[in-house]
Amino acid sequence: MPLKTVKKDTAEKLTLEWVLHVKNYRLSLDRNRCVGCQICSLACPKEAIKVEKQPKSKGEKTRRPKVDVDLAKCNFCGICDILCPYGAVKVTLDNEHSLPVIEKECFPKPIREIQVNPAKFPASREEIEDACPLHLIKVSAPMSEKAESTATVEVEKEYCPCCRVCEVKLPSGAMQVRKFIYGKIAVHQEKCPDGCTDCLDVCPIAGALFLQDKKVAVNDTFCVYCGACKLVCPVEGALELERTRIIHEPIRSGAWNKTLERLTSPVGIAKELKNKGSLKARESVKKRVGLKED
Amino acid sequence: MAETASQKQEKTRQKKPKATGRGRRLKTPRPRIGVFVCQCGGQIASVVDVNELTNYVKTLPNVVYAEQMNFPCSRQGQEEIVTAIKKNRLERVVVAGCSPRLYEPTFQRCVSQAELNPWLFEMANIREFASYCHQANPKQATEKAKDTVRMAVAKAKLLEPLAPIELPMTKKVMVIGGGIAGINAALDLADMGFKVYVVEKTESIGGYMALLDKTFPTLDCSICIEGPKMVDVGRHPNIEIISYADVLKAEGHVGSFKMKVRKNPRYVIAANCTGCGECKDACPIEYPNYADMYLGVRKAISPPFGQAVPLTHTINRDYCIECFKCIDACGAREAINFDQKPEEVDLEVGAIIVAIGYSMYNPSDLEWTGYGKYDNVFTALEFERLILAAGPTGGKVVRASDGQKPHSVAFIQCVGSRDINRYEHCSSFCCMYTLKHAVMLKEKYRDDIEVYVFYNDMRSNFKGYEEFYNRAQKSGVKFLRVKLENRKILENPQTKSLTVSGETEDGKPVTAHSDMVVLANAAVPQQTAAELAKILKIPTAPEGFFMECQPKIRPTDTDVPGIFLAGACQGLKDIPYSVAQGSAAAAQAAAVLSKDVWTVEPLVAQVNEDMCSGCRVCESVCGYNAIAVENLGDKALARVKEGLCRGCGICGSACPMDAISMPNYSDRHIIAQVKAVMERGDKT
Ligand SMILES: Cc1cc2nc3c(=O)[nH]c(=O)nc-3n(C[C@H](O)[C@H](O)[C@H](O)COP(=O)(O)OP(=O)(O)OC[C@H]3O[C@@H](n4cnc5c(N)ncnc54)[C@H](O)[C@@H]3O)c2cc1C
Ligand code: SF4
Ligand code: SF4
């Protein structure tokens, strides 16, 4: 008899479910955290995710693209969950956030390296918390002028895209963040239509893009290369974005190689495979993407 | 190397068949005709005046002998005919009796005992054409009988001796569908020494029986009795299982069916896979398992269930993420091949057994049932997987809404069956499996469970079944008889429990509250039946089950010689009956396969090669692909495939060159009959 499935879509949340008698598989997408970037749709091995540009009405800010997941294609593997820079997707099995693809070492976890050094924090709680463009730093109260070192500072790591804004905003050494997605981004201002700020409108990292003489400019230090901007840019070639590396736990997995192929530039994969000395995988990638030996 | 049947066929074709029997030497333009008029124990004689008819027949030209008999088809009757032929030196024989469909072969054998060529025999059907249909008008019935016999005599005069056509026999058989019926057919035939191909659509043989918990009325474990048989099929040196495969094409005829079968890619090399399951353990992906009725899951690389035969694992590429962990786990066995492609194989077999079983109706369009909407409404097959110890819940009967054991369960019979708006037929085994489920629940949970059965008629009509019904009643199951109309199931949105209601025959309401409902949803024709029917050119009945040749005396034959039916695909039946029919079909097939040549009636189209222009009109009208124009050097000529030709004659009437004729059914024969029927006024 047919499989019982559920799909619910609200402004807050998208939920997909397989309701089996003994197991419950659920994918939920927190629309408040989702920025509508490129990552999950590229990462999904079943091509179940579509990201759609939203229509723009005059005088309003560009809206973030909308993510939709096809229930017929999704197999609840959780790869989108693992790779979402903003931690917007959660895939659970019987309400437990445990992913077999990780447990069975079939897919790597990106490494979010965030070091917090409370000794170096400034006194003001607001100042600390405001350092994060996504408001992920939480300082435990009470925090007094004198006893700041006893207060704990916590970062909601699972939602952190590692943009490094806090590292720069706070006194040196207070936070140390290493990006887990590396890449290149450039805005060719000569191609930008006058007054267009579409990319800036959707970028979740305040400071990664900014206005310079009425044109958008980039600060490469803060960009997490999620590609939300790329999706909304109206002019072909005005915004260039490329991911070159993803920092992850060591793994040997065909699924990861393919994800990498879709997420990063050919040069990026070549490097990773070279480092791993995985000749066979390299050959197959070469065949598929027409990689040139460098 | 063994000759294939088609090579042999080429050879036999070159040997011109020789007519045997006295008829061959017969040159007389005025043959001596004998007519035997049957009284049919009164079935004819009570309407047709047989005395008058017999006397009349004696006056017909060329008739040298006529007599009336009570049962010419009886042994004694046949002996009398043989004696009469010999004594009167008869050269043509006419029996005026019933339908040639029933008795022509009998009388053909009878005349050949008198050393007369069997095709010098003609039958006049005065029972169906006269006595049966004109009971109210005996006089006219008698006149019509005279007409019918007169026509037969006119044709008999022109009959020519013929020789049967012999086709070579490939001593192999294909069983399509590996359920319990197909399994039995395959094992029987393999034990008799025939090579058997079992073509199964899914990954494993076993059919529905492999998914059941226990079987009525003995309550033995289903897979424990079927499993060993499945293993026997897998191990038998004469059987080759071709699973995860589809029959694409069937050509040819009895003795030499040419089959094309597609093996679908499993991405696992069957020869290397040992079924160890190490890949399965390494695989991170699970998907809903059909074999568990989607109550449970299986891995992206796995067999559908533990006892699958073959145990070759299959990768479901719809769910696989291509992490290749299975390749690592498989290691040196190297059984995994992601580049596997569908493979088509050509097989030649002498006979085919179709045993593709049935499908289950999805009752979610019957709104009153709440199926698909209410969490705790199940189908019977889902219930089988729930109560099965090796099933997804480990045999615990629990509700979907809260995982709790129900304290009351209501079974609802005839859901979709016996419903003229859905399926008019009775699904035949639901009453019995519901009794089984009810007894199992009662015996498992005793007083801790109330069991209700909402039924309309309880059908328990085979050996040991009524006794089982009694056992259910004694165990405390409550049987509530209701009409099939106005049944309703309502859910309490808080507790997710259900209220089932119906009406007795005299309109009184009946209700029961239960924690869980199980629907006996209709069993329906196999979804693939229509397609397979088209491929094999076998008919289906209007409701979709395959049509047997004759429902009473030929229940396993199809209309096509050499193709037989077994199991639920012919009509719903339970396991014992499916097993018996599997063996019956095997015996039928063996009767075909054990012959060295297959003889067919020589009543097939004949092409006059001097007249044929190769225009291909015949090719386009033939419904059996039995005639085709072949290029023979400088000339294109129509050639008849004798094994396929049914002698319908349509090519003969379509041929613009009049190049095709049907032996003993040529224009001469027909016109003689037409003339004879027009003679009525002159003689009476
Ligand atoms: C809930 C339930 C409980 C039951 N309990 C009992 C019981 O206790 N006792 C009892 O006697 N009976 C019981 N039955 C009935 C029993 O299932 C059938 O009698 C039996 O399965 C019929 O066997 P079969 O081989 O004819 O068909 P199936 O079991 O349907 O097997 C047919 C096989 O053919 C394959 N196939 C289908 N299409 C194709 C194709 N085109 N090409 C190749 N292969 C194909 C199928 O995959 C399958 O393997 C129960 C039925 C149900 C629904
Ligand atoms: S990967 Fe991008 S699109 Fe997908 S959920 Fe995360 S932020 Fe949204
Ligand atoms: S490659 Fe596919 S089948 Fe093999 S282990 Fe990975 S997910 Fe499972």
Side-chain angles (χ1 to χ4, degrees), chain A residues 1-4 18-23 25 45-46 72-77 79 93 100-102 104-107 251-256 258, chain B residues 281-286 288 293-295 297 317-325 328 360-362 371 378-379 382 386 392-393 398-400 521:
Chain A
M1 293 297 112
L3 169 68
K4 283 178 194 145
W18 276 349
V19 190
L20 298 150
H21 207 79
V22 289
K23 284 192 170 174
Y25 291 80
K46 302 320 298 176
K73 288 183 179 166
C74 175
N75 66 359
F76 298 85
C77 68
I79 286 178
L93 172 55
V101 287
I102 298 278
K104 293 189 178 283
E105 297 180 2
C106 303
F107 207 79
I251 199 83
R252 226 176 85 83
S253 155
W256 171 243
K258 281 200 200 91
Chain B
D281 297 337
C283 176
I285 298 295
E286 289 176 336
M293 294 297 116
Y294 303 128
L295 302 179
V297 288
R317 296 290 288 272
D318 286 347
Y319 297 94
C320 167
I321 60 165
E322 299 179 18
C323 65
F324 304 142
K325 286 289 158 189
D328 293 348
M360 294 301 286
Y361 158 65
N362 173 354
Y371 181 73
F378 293 88
T379 64
E382 288 169 345
L386 263 189
T393 58
V398 288
R399 310 203 314 162
N521 51 321

Side-chain angles (χ1 to χ4, degrees), chain A residues 232-248:
Chain A
V232 296
C233 176
V235 182
E236 175 79 29
L239 194 146
E240 252 184 292
L241 184 131
E242 187 182 277
R243 283 168 287 270
T244 53
R245 249 181 105 192
I246 296 175
I247 310 298
H248 61 85

Side-chain angles (χ1 to χ4, degrees), chain A:
Chain A
M1 293 297 112
L3 169 68
K4 283 178 194 145
T5 54
V6 176
K7 181 168 180 176
K8 273 190 226 135
D9 194 1
T10 64
E12 303 286 309
K13 208 169 183 182
L14 170 71
T15 318
L16 307 189
E17 254 179 290
W18 276 349
V19 190
L20 298 150
H21 207 79
V22 289
K23 284 192 170 174
N24 177 290
Y25 291 80
R26 183 182 294 132
L27 177 151
S28 44
L29 171 78
D30 182 341
R31 293 208 180 279
N32 293 323
R33 292 194 189 274
C34 175
V35 307
C37 74
Q38 290 177 313
I39 305 290
C40 59
S41 64
L42 290 175
C44 176
K46 302 320 298 176
E47 297 182 4
I49 307 180
K50 290 263 158 323
V51 192
E52 255 180 36
K53 227 170 130 164
Q54 297 300 293
K56 189 178 167 182
S57 31
K58 250 211 163 121
E60 261 180 43
K61 273 180 105 186
T62 303
R63 287 194 288 154
R64 291 172 170 177
K66 193 173 171 200
V67 170
D68 189 28
V69 187
D70 186 344
L71 183 54
K73 288 183 179 166
C74 175
N75 66 359
F76 298 85
C77 68
I79 286 178
C80 51
D81 172 341
I82 297 165
L83 284 180
C84 175
Y86 306 97
V89 205
K90 288 284 165 276
V91 174
T92 58
L93 172 55
D94 296 334
N95 289 321
E96 298 260 341
H97 188 223
S98 70
L99 296 172
V101 287
I102 298 278
E103 277 157 28
K104 293 189 178 283
E105 297 180 2
C106 303
F107 207 79
K109 255 190 179 154
I111 299 176
R112 290 175 157 97
E113 226 179 81
I114 304 162
Q115 276 170 26
V116 186
N117 188 354
K120 304 226 170 145
F121 277 115
S124 138
R125 177 178 171 184
E126 283 70 41
E127 199 181 329
I128 302 174
E129 290 191 345
D130 286 351
C132 174
L134 299 170
H135 314 289
L136 300 174
I137 307 179
K138 298 274 163 345
V139 181
S140 71
M143 193 172 175
S144 73
E145 287 279 326
K146 282 162 266 163
E148 71 268 26
S149 54
T150 61
T152 51
V153 176
E154 279 198 31
V155 180
E156 289 179 285
K157 227 170 148 181
E158 60 182 310
Y159 306 120
C160 169
C162 298
C163 65
R164 301 184 64 196
V165 171
C166 56
E167 190 182 303
V168 173
K169 274 200 177 169
L170 290 169
S172 158
M175 293 287 265
Q176 263 182 314
V177 181
R178 183 166 162 230
K179 284 194 188 181
F180 67 88
I181 304 178
Y182 284 86
K184 287 186 212 137
I185 181 167
V187 174
H188 300 291
Q189 293 180 342
E190 70 283 4
K191 294 194 184 158
C192 296
D194 279 342
C196 171
T197 60
D198 290 1
C199 53
L200 179 59
D201 289 349
V202 300
C203 179
I205 314 291
L209 297 175
F210 58 95
L211 272 184
Q212 183 183 53
D213 303 333
K214 293 188 183 160
K215 295 255 176 176
V216 178
V218 193
N219 183 350
D220 217 342
T221 327
F222 297 146
C223 177
V224 299
Y225 311 103
C226 75
C229 50
K230 177 87 179 157
L231 283 172
V232 296
C233 176
V235 182
E236 175 79 29
L239 194 146
E240 252 184 292
L241 184 131
E242 187 182 277
R243 283 168 287 270
T244 53
R245 249 181 105 192
I246 296 175
I247 310 298
H248 61 85
E249 291 165 349
I251 199 83
R252 226 176 85 83
S253 155
W256 171 243
N257 291 348
K258 281 200 200 91
T259 304
L260 204 61
E261 222 175 278
R262 290 186 298 259
L263 278 176
T264 67
S265 64
V267 189
I269 326 159
K271 270 203 196 124
E272 165 141 356
L273 295 178
K274 206 169 188 171
N275 290 346
K276 272 199 208 161
S278 180
L279 276 174
K280 215 167 138 195
R282 195 152 180 241
E283 282 303 308
S284 93
V285 170
K286 235 162 69 182
K287 254 196 285 171
R288 276 200 302 270
V289 301
L291 183 69
K292 297 243 168 50
E293 249 359 290
D294 47 350

